[in-house]
Amino acid sequence: MFYDVVIVGAGPSGSYLALSLARRGYQVLVMEKKAAPGTGICCTGIVSQQCVGLLEVPPDLVITPISSVRVISPSGRPFTLQRNDAIACVVDRPALDKLLAERARAAGVSYAFCTRVSGIAVEEGGVSVRAECAGEDRTCQCSILVIASGFGSSLPMRLGLGGIADFTVGAQVEVQTGTDELELYLDQETTPGSFAWLVPIGGGRGLVGLMTRRHPKQRLSRLLSRLQTKGKIVPAQSQPKCGPIPLRPLTRTFGNRVLVVGEAAGQVKPLTGGGIYYGALCAGIAAEVVDRAFRRGDFSEGTLSSYQRGWQEVLGAELRVGYLFQRIYRNLDNKQVDFLHSLAARCGIADFVRGAEPRYFDYHSRAAFGAAKHFARSLLLGLVGMGR
């Protein structure tokens, strides 16, 4: 069968793009290797209110709003960042994936689950996609192929678009907890170059997780033991989930009749690993580029290259600066992290966060520069006060 667009991957980026294209009148097929959307996900589900608005997340999928976070240093010293508004929230991520797929289906998108892409041939008249489903080989044709299959897929490499060498691994498990406030743990021994978290999700439950380059399950086990000793949690019986997280984007996210979107393209926040909002933004840009290509009848690299220019204009600087900050933090030891933690508390980071623009939640480099200006102003006022 011939489709206008075939999308590989039924995550938020893939389904959001499919819905956007279906609403424009295109015939779209989404291929997904899992049995259903939202299964086997390693994701905390923390998103900004901007993301909630963009994806039209209904209230019943919001587990809990987030207006404060307790940041704990390597030596155990905490400070709390508090806002008057809920700048973010925890959403039911599996349910979100299912909802986005249901919306796309209602708009006319076809889904093929338990389907693994085994071969792609970009030809003059279109793209031939070969897939395995229930032990059978199936082939379909399309004008444009979009890879939205998450990080770790070999498809971009097989299509000559390269790969992403620098990545970390997230590990997370559900626990029982009496904590009702989001907590972040900074410790370069437990999570070198990153952080760990305890996120309450209601009903006496929480998510404990971390990001690390090596031994994620072992490090998570040690973190769970420490939190249990402190009386923070009671480990549940569920098994931890792990997943790779890209820290840099693909150098090339387009080709002849091909685009790459979301985590597969490395469109992820380097500091926190969050990719839902960035993926949706880039899916929106991809939808516009695909629509323009069909109207022109031109699916060449020259036409589709505007996708990369578009998303780089929106996120390129943010991803570069975020990655730079991530690398700097990666090289700090616990004494240095403790010092910066104390300095941030003394310089009024709580005041900065309380009045910061909501967009800073998604744009960390802008938040960092804004905080730096705030700290400089605080230090200057302190020096002036000492001189009086």
Side-chain angles (χ1 to χ4, degrees):
M1 185 171 179
F2 194 93
Y3 295 88
D4 294 320
V5 181
V6 169
I7 299 172
V8 182
S13 299
S15 288
Y16 183 71
L17 174 57
L19 175 62
S20 299
L21 292 173
R23 286 174 172 172
R24 287 173 164 89
Y26 295 107
Q27 295 296 310
V28 182
L29 169 66
V30 177
M31 292 181 167
E32 171 58 55
K33 65 182 180 181
K34 297 176 182 177
T39 57
I41 297 172
C42 180
C43 177
T44 309
I46 297 178
V47 296
S48 66
Q49 295 298 345
Q50 285 72 25
C51 184
V52 168
L54 179 64
L55 296 180
E56 301 178 23
V57 180
D60 61 314
L61 260 61
V62 176
I63 296 174
T64 181
I66 296 176
S67 58
S68 67
V69 57
R70 197 162 178 255
V71 185
I72 301 172
S73 73
S75 60
R77 292 196 302 269
F79 65 68
T80 297
L81 304 176
Q82 178 77 46
R83 289 180 62 92
N84 295 325
D85 60 334
I87 194 172
C89 62
V90 180
V91 299
D92 186 335
R93 172 59 197 278
L96 176 62
D97 284 28
K98 293 175 184 176
L99 174 66
L100 293 175
E102 288 170 2
R103 287 176 179 169
R105 272 177 158 167
V109 176
S110 299
Y111 277 77
F113 293 104
C114 299
T115 301
R116 183 184 297 274
V117 174
S118 57
I120 297 171
V122 180
E123 301 161 346
E124 184 176 347
V127 183
S128 178
V129 183
R130 189 173 71 254
E132 297 175 359
C133 180
E136 297 182 2
D137 286 339
R138 299 180 181 179
T139 301
C140 67
Q141 315 290 324
C142 62
S143 294
I144 293 181
L145 173 71
V146 180
I147 301 170
S149 48
F151 179 61
S153 169
S154 64
L155 295 181
M157 182 76 74
R158 286 156 61 182
L159 289 168
L161 301 179
I164 301 173
D166 202 358
F167 65 94
T168 187
V169 178
Q172 182 172 267
V173 68
E174 184 176 311
V175 298
Q176 298 175 21
T177 181
T179 300
D180 58 3
E181 185 177 32
L182 169 62
E183 293 188 348
L184 298 182
Y185 308 104
L186 308 178
D187 185 350
Q188 296 289 56
E189 294 181 3
T190 303
T191 54
S194 190
F195 61 93
W197 58 85
L198 169 56
V199 179
I201 56 173
R205 299 174 301 134
L207 298 173
V208 172
L210 52 76
M211 293 192 298
T212 181
R213 291 168 175 272
R214 298 172 181 169
H215 313 300
K217 288 187 178 181
Q218 294 91 324
R219 293 182 187 276
L220 179 61
S221 178
R222 289 198 292 269
L223 174 64
L224 291 170
S225 296
R226 189 162 72 245
L227 294 178
Q228 185 176 9
T229 300
K230 292 181 178 181
K232 290 274 186 182
I233 66 166
V234 176
Q237 299 302 314
S238 58
Q239 293 297 313
K241 296 177 180 178
C242 297
I245 302 169
L247 296 176
R248 304 193 75 179
L250 273 177
T251 304
R252 187 178 176 88
T253 56
F254 69 95
N256 185 32
R257 296 183 178 271
V258 175
L259 295 178
V260 189
V261 176
E263 288 189 11
Q267 294 158 342
V268 173
K269 302 172 189 175
L271 292 176
T272 65
I276 298 176
Y277 184 56
Y278 281 11
L281 286 177
C282 294
I285 296 169
E288 294 176 0
V289 172
V290 169
D291 182 47
R292 186 160 58 246
F294 273 100
R295 285 188 280 108
R296 292 179 179 177
D298 182 0
F299 311 109
S300 66
E301 293 183 3
T303 295
L304 298 186
S305 64
S306 61
Y307 163 66
Q308 179 143 336
R309 290 195 299 272
W311 74 254
Q312 284 185 335
E313 183 177 341
V314 175
L315 295 176
E318 177 66 27
L319 294 177
R320 287 192 298 272
V321 175
Y323 182 67
L324 174 62
F325 286 152
Q326 200 277 337
R327 287 192 58 129
I328 292 172
Y329 181 75
R330 191 188 306 177
N331 292 318
L332 300 179
D333 59 29
N334 271 344
K335 287 185 179 180
Q336 292 168 323
V337 173
D338 258 319
F339 171 76
L340 292 176
H341 183 278
S342 299
L343 180 64
R346 292 198 304 270
C347 290
I349 183 67
D351 293 334
F352 169 75
V353 169
R354 190 175 297 112
E357 299 178 29
R359 65 182 179 137
Y360 281 170
F361 183 87
D362 289 311
Y363 295 91
H364 300 149
S365 68
R366 299 179 191 179
F369 287 129
K373 291 180 181 178
H374 177 85
F375 295 161
R377 192 180 304 116
S378 299
L379 290 172
L380 180 60
L381 291 175
L383 291 173
V384 170
M386 292 174 60
R388 290 179 179 175

